Structure formats: structure tokens, C-alpha cells
Amino acid sequence: MKENKTFYITTPIYYPSAAPHIGHCYTTVACDSIARFKRIQGYDVMFLTGTDEHGMKIEQKAKEAGVTPKEYVDPIVANFKRLWETMNISYDRYIRTTDDYHVKSVQKIFKTLYDKGHIYKGEYTGKYCTPCESFWTESQLDENGCCPDCHRPVTDAHEEAYFLKVSDFADKIEEFLTKTDYLSPKSRVNEMINNFIKPGLEDLCVSRTSFTWGVPVEFDPKHVVYVWVDALSNYISALGYENDKYDDFAKYWPADMHMTAKEIVRFHSIIWPIMLMMLDLPLPKHLYGHGWINFNGQKMSKSIGNVIDPFVLAERYGSDSVRYQILRDMPYGSDSNFSNEIMIGRINTDLANGFGNLLSRTVAMVDKYFGGTLPENREEGDFDSDLKEMAQGLAHSVEKLMDEAKLSLALTEIMNVVSRANKYIDETTPWILAKDPAKSARLATVLYNLLDTLRICSALLAPFMPAIMPKALEQIGAKESDTEYDKLSVFGVLPADVTVKKGDALFPRIDVNAEIDYLNSIIGTKQEENSDSKQEKPAAKVEDEDLDKAGLISIDQFAQVKLRTAQVLACEKVAKSNKLLKFQLDDGRGGRQIVSGIAKWYKPEDLIGKKIIFVANLTPAKLCGELSEGMILSCDCGDSVKILTVDPEVPNGSAVK
Ligand code: MSP
């Protein structure tokens, strides 16, 4: 370990308000890869993640579920932890904002800010977005008077409240953002200055009295601390700031890297540094605000219903492939788009055809031509120096890109060397060299160069793909000491008489069509469908025998299907289909469109006004070009199909349990 070299990296702490989705994985997988990279470089790393468990939204959801907020969040937090295990996340510490030590720290921080005159009591009037837990002024709302972040309706809020005097720090924060390289990409600095600082920083309301699920203000307990003040404090409470649980604040603070997605950069680049300035604490060194993983052009979100289940993907392809794809396809500073096709394409191109092919061809040739152990005689030849130079220079460029959180570019650099090595095989034609015993030394040299390139590439890929790369290194006969960081910039580290160990293909090629059909049948992520969708066909009659085959599901699995009531406002036939009807529904949440394959059994006008039940969290699909945001429940009655209707008095949008 390098003496005194510490590296403190944090993800945001996640709201345990719903099951985690692939979008949530991005920051955590990115931070994990950086943390692992820093560890191999010899840093003493502290990698923090956790859950942000207070707030009105959680209180409301718990109430709806008929449980206490803690009972509500506990299983969701367990599910987040299970996901991080599945994705091989090597966090060093996990913080829950409901942990006692954190609550104590937040209370002390609030009191200190109050005692120093940075917090004062006043009256709050304004707008509040419950899903985002954000206060907004009238002028900050979007063109429809909705939340400027998530564009959902906001509510009026009036109450006695404490305020944080952020206005006093407008100049200091502007200077911090413009004069340091804290916030990247740089475009986000302009965004913050133009959208939030230049229009005038308004004091921030930092306490609430209208709900109780939060950290009580110690000296005025009818107030609970605003969730963002509570949440941001996690980065220091988790190190033992103002609590006795941990004792490494002096060692790790200031953080080397905070990473978040773009919509919460505002809190991390303005509010958080101001809080720290007020507390006279050193400021974190870097904040990286990445883009979103979108699906069909929209941010993946539970309430939009377009989430992709990372457990399913990790089970099918292995967590390493999923980690690779989400990191590789997120361009620096912008959004990425997810689809099953993109994921499988990336796995096939880069991992199966690129890296996997290089590894299996090389190991197979050493096995076939030399019985698994290379002879020591060598003969240099054309193309060698080009490959060696690229491989030797790789660690240096990857290191620089990792420091800048440019993970996709770092992976591209590594894959460029993999491609160069695959090309080197075509250029040097080992199968022709193998035919001539006089060329044995040249053949051994070519294969050695390939193995040593693989050593460098696999070791540099290990932070991104920690499950598979140790197996790749084992196959090429590399010992642990061959992958020490300093040796990754040196060519020729493997012993001259290295012995390979042939093994299974580490990234088998995926049959795209078969796989897409399968995925669509289980998670329904088909983006464009020209014929009637399978998921929209009325369910086949289920016999008892089929039930046995299908197996039983747990109450948790059932609870994942969100059923709600809605009223049919309009209904018409879909032009290109004789099976589909298009419904406009009042779902109690601003309306949605669903396409259903029941045209054969109903006239559209007979359905208007009916109250129905629909699946609210099905991934949107296009059926004959029409967007369908869910599925209407119906029964197979032998010769016909009947939709399920509910009592007209049931309010639209009610949850069906
Ligand atoms: N609780 C706050 C963070 C407090 S940090 C002091 C929060 N939680 S969150 O669960 O809503 O989001 C956690 C992180 O996941 C955020 O950075 C968020 O932007 C990110 N993502 C959620 N959906 C995402 C995508 N679809 N794509 C990429 N990141 C996404 O915000």
C-alpha cells in the first residue's frame, strides 16, 4: 500500500422507495470500478454507498402500505444490498440515514449551523415536489408549473420553517465552481451558474413540520431536518464526523470523488459545498455529474414504468457483462440509451468477439502448437513493436481517464489494444508459422506477445469486470505478482516459458434473436412491434396443470406487479390492426394510453366510462406503432374475453391488492 495515499469515493445514497433498476446501477458500478482501480494502484480506498431513508415520500408510501416507515424501507434496503452483492460492488461502508450515529451527526450539524447564525427561523411559502423532495419557488417551475426536474405536479407549502442562509455564499460558491476543477463535466458548471446562481440564490428551507419521518431538530423537535441536509451529511457522518461510531474523518476527508447523476448535481455542487463552508470544513475535491440511462428516450423511472431489472440481466449474462455494457455505452457527460439489443450487441462485439475471442484463440494456439507451455527461444518480427508500444502505454492512459471518471473512454482504450492484438494474429498468421518447424521461435514470440498483451488488458479490465478477469488471467498463466500495477506499464512480465490453462469460453456469444424473444417474453422491453404483441393477447386459459408447471410465486413477487384502477375516457380501433383497441384512461395521475387486443369482443363505444384494472408498471411497448403504457386485465371465458370491471365508486388510480 502506498503510504498516506487515501482515496475517498462516494455514490449518492439511494431512496429506498422502490426496487432498484439498471439506472441505479450506473453510479454504483462506476464508483466501484474506480475504487477497484485505485486499490490496484495502491491507494487506501474508502468507498461509501447507502440509502436515504427519510422524507415525506417514504412516510406516504409506508402509510399506503399500512406499515411503519422503517418497516417499509427495511426490505427495500435489503434488496439494494442484494443487488450490490449481485453486481459485485466492493463498498467499504454502507450508511443508512436511519442509523443512530448518522441521526446524531445531523442533529449536531444542524445545531452548529444554527448557533453560527447560518440557519434562522422563518415562514415557508412555496412549492414542493414530493417525489424529488425538493422545494421550488414559483419562478423555478417549468412551463407547465411543474417540478423543473421531474416535471410532475408540485404542491403548495406554507409552514413555519428554518432556513439556511445560502444567499450569503453566492459569491463564494460561484468562485469555487469557476476557479476550481471541482465540478465536471465543465458544461455542468455553466448550467449551475446560469440556472441557479445568477438568477439569485435563495435561502433554502431546511426543516418541515408537516410530517414526522425525519431527523428531529434537537432544539425544536416539531421540525424535522430537510431530507437533503440529512442526506448530504452522510458523506461526513459515515466517517465519524460528530459521532462516535467511526473515527476516520481526519484520514479520508475531504472526499476525492463524489459521483451523482445530473439531476442532483445542484445539491452536490451548490448546497453541499456551502454547508461545508459554513461548517468551516475542507471542500471535496471532485464531483462528477454523469448522464442518465434512458429507455425510449426517457429517464428510467419507476413512476414512468420503464424500468429494467438488473437482477434479470445479471442472471442471464453475468454481472461483469452488465457492468461492462452500462459503463461502455454511457458517453462522457451525456445520456445513454438502453435496450436489450444494445446490451446484447455490446456483449457480442466487445466481449465475445473481441476479448473472449482473443483469449480463447491465443490459449488454444499455445495449447495446440506447444502443448500448453511456450519454448523460451524468441525471434522478433514485423508488427511486434506496434503491439508492444500500445500495450505498454495503456495503463498510463487508462489511469488518466479513470481520474477524470471517463470510464467509457477508458474501456475504449483497452478494447483498442484488444482489437490491435486480434489484428496482430491476422498479420502474423500463427497457423502458417506452425507448419514450418524452422519458424518455431517466431511462433513462440507471437504467442508470447499475445499472452503478455492479454495480461495487461485483463488486469486493467479487472476493476470493471472483477468476476471474470481473474479467470482470464488464470487461463494465460499469469500469477498475482504479474499483475501488480507497476508491471502493467512494462512489456514481457510473463515468464518466457509460461504455461497456459485452457478453460471455458468466458464470454459465450449470444444468439441475438432467440435472446430478444426470451427477454421480451419476461420483461417486455420490445421497443417497436408491428404485429400484435404477445403480452397484449388475452391470457390463455390456465388449467390447474399449467399452474403446477408455472410454479408458485412469493408474495413479494406478486407485489412487484402494480395493479391500479382507471376509467375509460376514450376508446378507438387501431388503424392497422383488427385486434387492437386504443384506450385513453383516467388513471388518477394525469392519464395514460393503453392498447389492448380485445377488439374482437368489444365495440369501442361500449367501453367508454367503464372502470377497469390495469397493470401500471409494465414496460411501455409499441403495438402497431401505438404506445401502450400497461395492460388491461381481462378473463378468458372460453369463446370470448371479458375485461375486468370495478365498482364505479372506486376512485381512479386506486391500488389493487
Ligand atoms: N437520495 C437522493 C440522493 C441523495 S445523495 C446525498 C437520490 N436518490 S435516487 O435513488 O433517486 O437516485 C440515486 C442516484 O441514481 C442518483 O444519482 C440518480 O440520478 C441516479 N439514477 C436514477 N436513475 C438513473 C438512470 N436512469 N440513469 C442514471 N442514473 C440514475 O437522488
Side-chain angles (χ1 to χ4, degrees):
M1 193 168 295
K2 292 194 182 163
E3 231 180 301
N4 294 332
K5 276 180 88 177
T6 59
F7 188 80
Y8 179 32
I9 181 164
T10 69
T11 72
I13 47 174
Y14 293 83
Y15 289 129
S17 52
H21 54 72
I22 193 79
H24 288 125
C25 292
Y26 181 81
T27 328
T28 313
V29 167
C31 287
D32 184 64
S33 303
I34 296 175
R36 286 174 183 274
F37 195 84
K38 288 285 163 189
R39 287 192 198 109
I40 63 168
Q41 280 184 284
Y43 283 81
D44 171 349
V45 172
M46 169 58 70
F47 170 21
L48 175 73
T49 190
T51 28
D52 182 2
E53 306 183 15
H54 291 126
M56 194 201 266
K57 184 166 65 175
I58 302 276
E59 188 175 278
Q60 274 174 0
K61 290 204 170 205
K63 207 164 162 198
E64 278 166 29
V67 292
T68 65
K70 188 71 174 23
E71 283 166 347
Y72 177 79
V73 295
D74 278 349
I76 306 177
V77 171
N79 206 29
F80 265 99
K81 288 189 170 172
R82 194 166 65 88
L83 176 62
W84 301 148
E85 205 176 305
T86 304
M87 300 303 290
N88 242 316
I89 303 299
S90 61
Y91 58 80
D92 297 293
R93 208 161 277 177
Y94 190 99
I95 186 165
R96 299 183 59 172
T97 54
T98 48
D99 289 337
D100 289 347
Y101 73 90
H102 170 78
V103 169
K104 278 197 194 100
S105 291
V106 172
Q107 287 181 322
K108 286 196 180 156
I109 290 169
F110 198 93
K111 175 86 170 40
T112 308
L113 293 172
Y114 182 74
D115 290 346
K116 286 176 147 226
H118 297 306
I119 284 182
Y120 63 93
K121 202 176 206 176
E123 150 125 345
Y124 177 77
T125 50
K127 305 287 175 187
Y128 191 71
C129 174
T130 307
C132 295
E133 310 268 20
S134 297
F135 294 102
W136 300 104
T137 58
E138 200 80 50
S139 63
Q140 288 173 319
L141 301 178
D142 71 7
E143 60 284 7
N144 301 316
C146 291
C147 170
D149 270 351
C150 72
H151 306 290
R152 280 177 280 204
V154 289
T155 51
D156 285 323
H158 299 269
E159 57 189 50
E160 173 192 287
Y162 287 94
F163 287 84
L164 189 69
K165 272 185 166 175
V166 290
S167 52
D168 282 355
F169 284 77
D171 293 342
K172 280 196 175 150
I173 195 71
E174 182 168 347
E175 195 182 325
F176 175 58
L177 293 180
T178 49
K179 302 260 164 73
T180 70
D181 59 356
Y182 173 60
L183 175 57
S184 58
K186 274 282 167 236
S187 55
R188 304 229 188 275
V189 173
N190 301 335
E191 220 175 285
M192 292 302 118
I193 293 189
N194 296 335
N195 297 350
F196 300 107
I197 301 178
K198 287 274 188 252
L201 263 192
E202 288 173 37
D203 289 349
L204 182 72
C205 175
V206 288
S207 79
R208 301 299 312 267
T209 52
S210 52
F211 63 92
T212 55
W213 181 238
V215 175
V217 173
E218 220 177 358
F219 54 90
D220 194 354
K222 69 174 186 295
H223 288 260
V224 292
V225 175
Y226 173 44
V227 277
W228 272 99
V229 169
D230 170 0
L232 289 163
S233 303
N234 95 88
Y235 299 129
I236 50 177
S237 71
L239 299 178
Y241 181 75
E242 297 283 26
N243 68 63
D244 299 331
K245 169 91 176 167
Y246 297 111
D247 190 21
D248 27 31
F249 180 73
K251 180 173 177 191
Y252 292 113
W253 191 258
D256 293 275
M257 193 183 284
H258 289 313
M259 196 185 293
T260 78
K262 59 186 180 182
E263 86 284 13
I264 59 170
V265 159
R266 178 171 79 100
F267 293 99
H268 287 80
S269 64
I270 300 179
I271 307 301
W272 179 227
I274 289 182
M275 277 173 65
L276 292 164
M277 288 174 189
M278 290 171 169
L279 292 166
D280 293 316
L281 291 177
L283 302 181
K285 294 177 198 159
H286 295 289
L287 164 65
Y288 172 61
H290 61 77
W292 291 331
I293 297 186
N294 287 336
F295 184 74
N296 281 348
Q298 271 185 302
K299 184 187 175 207
M300 215 171 271
S301 135
K302 179 78 194 320
S303 51
I304 299 170
N306 62 353
V307 297
I308 303 293
D309 185 345
F311 288 107
V312 173
L313 297 175
E315 193 188 306
R316 296 236 21 107
Y317 311 120
S319 57
D320 275 8
S321 300
V322 178
R323 287 171 62 114
Y324 179 84
Q325 187 273 328
I326 58 178
L327 296 180
R328 173 64 187 80
D329 283 312
M330 176 73 83
Y332 182 69
S334 4
D335 293 350
S336 73
N337 204 20
F338 181 90
S339 74
N340 292 322
E341 288 81 351
I342 292 174
M343 163 139 302
I344 297 167
R346 183 58 78 188
I347 295 173
N348 276 346
T349 313
D350 290 16
L351 301 181
N353 295 351
F355 181 87
N357 199 22
L358 175 66
L359 176 73
S360 57
R361 280 162 96 191
T362 305
V363 171
M365 288 191 286
V366 177
D367 210 47
K368 183 168 169 195
Y369 302 138
F370 296 111
T373 301
L374 285 185
E376 290 189 38
N377 39 351
R378 292 283 178 268
E379 184 188 322
E380 298 298 314
D382 289 344
F383 314 108
D384 295 4
S385 56
D386 192 27
L387 178 69
K388 283 187 198 175
E389 264 165 42
M390 268 185 93
Q392 255 170 201
L394 185 59
H396 178 71
S397 22
V398 171
E399 178 177 324
K400 190 166 175 296
L401 292 166
M402 294 303 272
D403 284 340
E404 294 167 1
K406 294 180 173 162
L407 303 181
S408 173
L409 293 175
L411 288 169
T412 308
E413 289 279 317
I414 304 174
M415 285 304 160
N416 284 344
V417 177
V418 167
S419 305
R420 180 68 195 85
N422 268 322
K423 190 168 157 226
Y424 177 79
I425 299 183
D426 300 336
E427 289 163 345
T428 53
T429 57
W431 53 94
I432 296 177
L433 298 174
K435 288 189 183 141
D436 182 352
K439 303 256 169 73
S440 166
R442 177 66 191 139
L443 177 61
T445 308
V446 165
L447 295 180
Y448 180 86
N449 289 344
L450 289 168
L451 287 175
D452 215 51
T453 303
L454 273 162
R455 172 185 64 85
I456 293 172
C457 292
S458 309
L460 291 173
L461 282 172
F464 302 94
M465 294 188 280
I468 302 264
M469 287 305 136
K471 295 182 189 161
L473 288 162
E474 196 187 329
Q475 291 195 8
I476 61 164
K479 295 188 299 301
E480 218 178 303
S481 59
D482 297 333
T483 60
E484 284 162 8
Y485 191 69
D486 292 346
K487 294 183 182 162
L488 302 182
S489 308
V490 179
F491 203 86
V493 167
L494 285 174
D497 60 346
V498 62
T499 301
V500 300
K501 194 169 159 206
K502 220 171 151 204
D504 295 337
L506 297 181
F507 296 106
R509 217 187 133 70
I510 301 167
D511 175 340
V512 185
N513 292 337
E515 190 60 22
I516 296 289
D517 282 351
Y518 171 78
L519 285 176
N520 285 333
S521 73
I522 56 161
I523 48 177
T525 58
K526 207 178 263 187
Q527 297 192 54
E528 196 59 55
E529 168 72 78
N530 290 322
S531 59
D532 299 349
S533 156
K534 282 180 202 145
Q535 74 188 31
E536 284 298 314
K537 283 185 187 151
K541 200 173 171 188
V542 177
E543 307 294 350
D544 287 352
E545 190 192 340
D546 293 333
L547 265 183
D548 288 344
K549 273 189 222 145
L552 301 175
I553 60 165
S554 69
I555 188 79
D556 287 348
Q557 284 170 312
F558 174 69
Q560 285 175 3
V561 181
K562 298 294 173 213
L563 300 174
R564 287 205 215 121
T565 60
Q567 186 163 27
V568 180
L569 298 177
C571 180
E572 59 180 305
K573 289 189 122 200
V574 171
K576 286 181 247 161
S577 164
N578 51 13
K579 290 188 184 164
L580 298 178
L581 291 181
K582 182 168 77 175
F583 292 81
Q584 303 306 330
L585 299 175
D586 175 358
D587 63 351
R589 287 165 169 79
R592 69 166 72 200
Q593 172 172 299
I594 290 185
V595 178
S596 179
I598 55 172
K600 202 169 152 197
W601 296 284
Y602 286 99
K603 285 192 200 133
E605 54 275 24
D606 292 345
L607 291 167
I608 293 169
K610 286 207 186 303
K611 294 222 174 189
I612 54 93
I613 300 175
F614 70 100
V615 182
N617 59 339
L618 203 60
T619 306
K622 277 200 172 169
L623 311 178
C624 284
E626 296 288 353
L627 179 68
S628 183
E629 300 167 296
M631 185 171 90
I632 295 177
L633 294 195
S634 57
C635 313
D636 187 342
C637 308
D639 294 342
S640 70
V641 166
K642 294 265 180 245
I643 57 167
L644 290 184
T645 54
V646 290
D647 189 310
E649 286 180 12
V650 174
N652 298 334
S654 306
V656 180
K657 292 178 197 163

